[in-house]
Amino acid sequence: MSNKNKKSRSLVVYTLIIVLLFGALFALNTVSKNKEGENKTVAEAPSVSGQPIVGNQEAKVSVVEFGDYKCPSCKSWEQQIWPQLKKDYVDTGIATYSFINTLFHGEESQLAAEASEAIWKSNPEQFWNFHTALFAKQPDVNHDSVWVTADSLLEVARASVPGLDEEAFKQQSKSDEVAAKIAEDNQLVTKFNIRQTPTIMVNNIVIANPFDYEAIKQAIEQEAK
Ligand code: CA
C-alpha cells in the first residue's frame, strides 16, 4: 500500500470515529433531555380507587401526587402549586386530585402516612384539612429534625378534624386496614417507578417538573379535550 493510500485510509477511520463520537454525544444529550426536561407518557394512569380524592369524580382528568409529608418539596408544592391547581381545575370540575403516600423518609414518613390513612378512613370530609395542617406543621428550616411523632400527629389531628375520636384515631393508625392501604400505595410507587417526591401525574402523563404550573396546565387541557 502506498503512503498516500495509508494516509487516506487513516483519514477515513478518524473521520468515522469522530462522527460516531458526535453521534453518541448527541444521543446521550437527547436521552438526558428527555429525562429531565420533557413529560413522559406511560401506559396508564395510576388507579385512585380507595385513595383520598377531591373534585368531580366524573372528570376526565385525574391529577395524582406521589407525595410524602416529610418531604420539604412536597410542602412547597402544597403551598405554591396546589392552591392554583385547585382553583383552576378541581373547583371547576375539570380534574380530580388524589394523594398517594410515598415513603421516602423512613419512620416519620410511615407515621404520617398511617395517620393520614386513618383520617381518610374515619373522617374523609376532613381529610384535606388534616393534609394541609400536617404540611403546615413541617418546619420551614431544619426539616430533617424529628417533627413527626405520635404526639405531633395527634396535635395536628385535634386541631384540623373537629369531633375527632382520639382513641379511634390512635388505634386506626396502627390497624391492619391502614397497613394494607399503605402497602397499596407502596405498590403504586413501585409500579410507576417513582423516584422523587413530589411526582405529579396528569392521567398517564408524568410531569417532568412538578413546579412548572404551565406544564401541568397544558397536560390537563390536553387530557380534558
Ligand atoms: Ca393511600
Side-chain angles (χ1 to χ4, degrees), residues 37-131:
E38 287 168 28
N39 298 341
K40 193 173 75 184
T41 303
V42 296
E44 55 182 324
S47 162
V48 292
S49 160
Q51 299 292 351
I53 187 163
V54 57
N56 166 21
Q57 303 212 8
E58 305 293 307
K60 284 164 75 178
V61 185
S62 161
V63 179
V64 170
E65 174 182 359
F66 285 89
D68 182 346
Y69 294 104
K70 179 71 182 169
C71 142
S73 300
C74 299
K75 175 181 173 129
S76 303
W77 194 89
E78 210 268 341
Q79 297 185 337
Q80 293 169 24
I81 306 292
W82 165 239
Q84 194 64 41
L85 177 69
K86 178 176 186 294
K87 181 169 162 273
D88 293 344
Y89 295 107
V90 176
D91 292 349
T92 53
I94 296 167
T96 56
Y97 167 74
S98 303
F99 184 86
I100 295 173
N101 290 297
T102 308
L103 312 184
F104 282 176
H105 292 82
E107 176 69 13
E108 286 177 88
S109 301
Q110 172 80 25
L111 286 175
E114 288 169 358
S116 77
E117 295 289 355
I119 296 292
W120 175 242
K121 172 78 189 139
S122 63
N123 299 70
E125 67 292 350
Q126 306 297 335
F127 175 85
W128 299 102
N129 272 351
F130 175 81
H131 175 90

Side-chain angles (χ1 to χ4, degrees), residues 206-221:
V206 185
I207 302 295
N209 173 4
F211 289 90
D212 183 350
Y213 185 58
E214 281 306 310
I216 297 174
K217 271 179 88 162
Q218 276 177 21
I220 294 175
E221 301 283 352

